Amino acid sequence: MSSSVSDAVNGGISFWYADDGLPAAREPLGGDASADVVIVGGGYTGLWTAYYLKQAVPFLRITVLEQKFCGYGASGRNGGWLYNGMAGRDRYAKLHGHEAAVRLQRAMNDTVDEVIRVAEAEGFDAGIHKGGVLEVARTPAQLARLKEFHAQELAFGEKDRELYDARRTAERIRVADAVGSTWTPHGARVHPVKLVKGLAAAVEALGVTIHELTPVTEIRPKHAVTPYGTVRAPYVLRCTEGFTANLKGQHRTWLPMNSSMIATEPLTDEQWESVGWDGRETLGDMAHAYMYAQRTADGRIALGGRGVPYRFGSRTDNDGRTQPETIEALREILVGFFPSLAGVRVEHAWSGVLGVPRDWCATGARPSRWTGRAGSAGRAVTSAPASPPRTSRRGPCGTWCRSTRDRACAPS
C-alpha cells in the first residue's frame, strides 16, 4: 500500500462521523408499546416518512425503531449527493406512460429544493451547496454514453441541463483527459451526517418517538417485533434499505451491495487552483465502474466507488472498514482524475451497504391494511437520493438514485 494511504483511518463508520461526531444514543424500547404508525429504520427513508406523515396528520402517534442509531447505515456513509436522479424510470414510463414519468421527474427535480427548504425551515446546517451535478466523459466510449444519457434527460423534461465539450468542461473542473460533460442544476453537495442528525431532531420536535439500539427482528401484520418488546400499530412501514436481509423472511428481498469511499486531507489553495472546481458541483463519470465525488465544505475531496460489492450470505459490516486494495483503487481514480494531487494523503476510508432491489427499480408501496415499504436502488443521500415520501407514493422512492447507477446512497 502506498505511503499516502497507509496511515488512513479505516472504518469508524465514516469520515462524516469523524468530522461531526457520533450522536448520543436515544433510549431503546422499554417494553411492549402501541402506535398508529411504526416505522422500522432510522435512515433518510424512515425519517422523511415520519416527518411528512406527522406534518400531514399531527395527531398520529408515530414510533421509529432503529437498530443502532439514526444514520448508522447509508444515510451516514454516502457520497453526499442531493440529486434528482432515480432508478427504474424507463420501466416506470413503460408501465404508466411517458407523461407520467415526466411528471415524476419534475417531482424529483423539486425534491432537491424541498430538502434544502426543510433544512432552512427547521434551522439546521447540513453543509448544503447547490452547485448542480457534473458528469464527465474521459474516453470516446464514455462520451457516446454521456451524449445518450444527456438526450434521455432532455426527453424526460430536463430542459435546463447543459452539454459541454472538453474546453467548457475544463472551465468548470480540470479532469485529466476529459472530452465532455453534462451538467444539471438539480443537485447539491450535502454533509450526510449533519442532514440526518438535523432531520432526526426535527422529527422528534414534531412529537415522533424514536427508539435507538432497538433491532427489529421480524415484521408481522400490525406488529414490529424486537428483543425488548413488540410495538403494535395498524400500519408498519419497512424502511430498512440495505439491512432488510436481517429481518425474518426477508433474506432475499433486497441485495445488500457494498460501496466504499475515501476522503483526502484538506487541499491547499495552490492545489485547488490546479483542480478548479470553483462551482463545487458533485462530480461523477460515465465509466462502467463509476466514481462519485464532492468538494467538501472543509476543502477535501470525498470520492467513492464500488469496491468489493457483495459479502457472502448478504452479510453487512459493523464499523465501515473496507479492503486495503479498495482504498488503493479509489486513490488511483483520484490521481487519474487529478494528477497534480498525486502527493495528497488519504485521511479516511470507509464502506457501507446499500439496498438494491433485484429488479434495480426504486420502490414505494402504499401501505395495505398492515404493512408497507419504501426504498431506493442505490445512491448517496441517495440518491441521496433524501426524498420526501410524497414522491414514493407516486412510484419509485427516488432517494438519490439514477437508473442502473448507485451514487447517492453509496455507500450505504
Side-chain angles (χ1 to χ4, degrees):
M1 183 182 295
S2 67
S3 60
S4 61
V5 301
S6 60
D7 59 347
V9 175
N10 188 353
I13 304 180
S14 74
F15 161 76
W16 310 116
Y17 280 111
D19 179 60
D20 200 60
L22 292 171
R26 297 171 172 87
E27 289 295 318
L29 183 68
D32 291 345
S34 64
D36 296 315
V37 178
V38 59
I39 296 170
V40 181
Y44 291 135
T45 305
L47 292 174
W48 281 119
T49 301
Y51 183 83
Y52 284 98
L53 278 177
K54 191 66 174 178
Q55 287 209 328
V57 190
F59 60 79
L60 281 178
R61 296 174 303 134
I62 302 173
T63 295
V64 176
L65 302 176
E66 164 56 40
Q67 69 166 338
K68 294 292 182 75
F69 55 82
C70 289
Y72 171 78
S75 303
R77 311 190 198 190
N78 62 79
W81 282 39
L82 184 57
Y83 185 35
N84 70 334
M86 62 180 140
R89 186 181 59 190
D90 290 344
R91 182 180 178 189
Y92 186 87
K94 290 178 181 178
L95 291 172
H96 302 284
H98 181 78
E99 288 306 312
V102 169
R103 291 195 299 271
L104 179 58
Q105 183 62 64
R106 288 173 182 155
M108 290 302 303
N109 298 348
D110 294 342
T111 294
V112 174
D113 291 326
E114 171 67 3
V115 173
I116 297 171
R117 182 198 68 78
V118 169
E120 292 175 349
E122 298 295 344
F124 62 84
D125 176 15
I128 298 173
H129 177 84
K130 190 182 180 186
V133 180
L134 185 72
E135 295 173 274
V136 300
R138 301 177 64 210
T139 68
Q142 290 182 26
L143 183 61
R145 291 196 292 272
L146 183 139
K147 290 180 177 179
E148 180 182 4
F149 168 69
H150 179 83
Q152 289 174 344
E153 299 307 293
L154 295 181
F156 281 97
E158 199 174 340
K159 302 304 182 184
D160 45 4
R161 177 175 285 272
E162 298 177 3
L163 184 66
Y164 302 142
D165 60 13
R167 180 184 62 81
R168 294 193 64 192
T169 299
E171 290 173 356
R172 282 186 171 269
I173 188 169
R174 299 182 188 96
V175 172
D177 303 320
V179 292
S181 62
T182 180
W183 175 82
T184 175
H186 303 295
R189 177 203 73 198
V190 65
H191 190 299
V193 163
K194 291 183 178 181
L195 176 60
V196 76
K197 285 182 178 180
L199 183 57
V203 164
E204 279 191 311
L206 290 173
V208 172
T209 299
I210 300 176
H211 290 298
E212 296 181 329
L213 302 174
T214 305
V216 173
T217 57
E218 183 180 5
I219 296 175
R220 301 200 302 258
K222 298 186 180 182
H223 295 72
V225 181
T226 86
Y228 313 122
T230 296
V231 181
R232 294 168 174 81
Y235 297 100
V236 181
L237 302 180
R238 172 169 58 80
C239 302
T240 46
E241 299 286 344
F243 295 89
T244 301
N246 296 336
L247 292 169
K248 182 178 179 180
Q250 302 291 333
H251 190 68
R252 300 288 296 171
T253 301
W254 278 22
L255 177 71
M257 183 175 288
N258 294 278
S259 192
S260 298
M261 291 195 70
I262 58 173
T264 69
E265 64 184 329
L267 273 59
T268 66
D269 291 342
E270 292 76 15
Q271 287 167 332
W272 279 121
E273 179 64 27
S274 72
V275 169
W277 211 346
D278 295 333
R280 292 167 172 77
E281 308 90 340
T282 55
L283 175 67
D285 73 351
M286 285 288 150
H288 290 305
Y290 61 82
M291 55 77 72
Y292 50 94
Q294 65 152 281
R295 176 176 176 171
T296 68
D298 63 346
R300 306 168 190 266
I301 295 177
L303 179 149
R306 182 59 58 80
V308 177
Y310 180 73
R311 287 182 171 90
F312 181 77
S314 295
R315 289 194 296 265
T316 56
D317 69 278
N318 289 318
D319 67 350
R321 287 183 62 84
T322 191
Q323 299 80 7
E325 58 269 26
T326 297
I327 303 173
E328 189 65 49
L330 292 174
R331 180 189 171 276
E332 289 177 2
I333 293 173
L334 172 71
V335 175
F337 269 61
F338 307 114
S340 64
L341 303 184
V344 169
R345 289 187 303 109
V346 172
E347 285 198 349
H348 208 121
W350 69 99
S351 70
V353 61
L354 56 106
V356 178
R358 294 180 187 272
D359 62 358
W360 207 276
C361 287
T363 60
R366 188 184 299 274
S368 64
R369 292 178 59 195
W370 305 299
T371 61
R373 69 183 187 278
S376 65
R379 224 189 281 209
V381 169
T382 79
S383 107
S387 61
R390 62 188 176 88
T391 304
S392 68
R393 292 190 193 121
R394 301 184 61 177
C397 169
T399 313
W400 293 13
C401 327
R402 181 168 56 159
S403 56
T404 72
R405 322 262 312 236
D406 64 334
R407 302 189 186 118
C409 283
S412 235

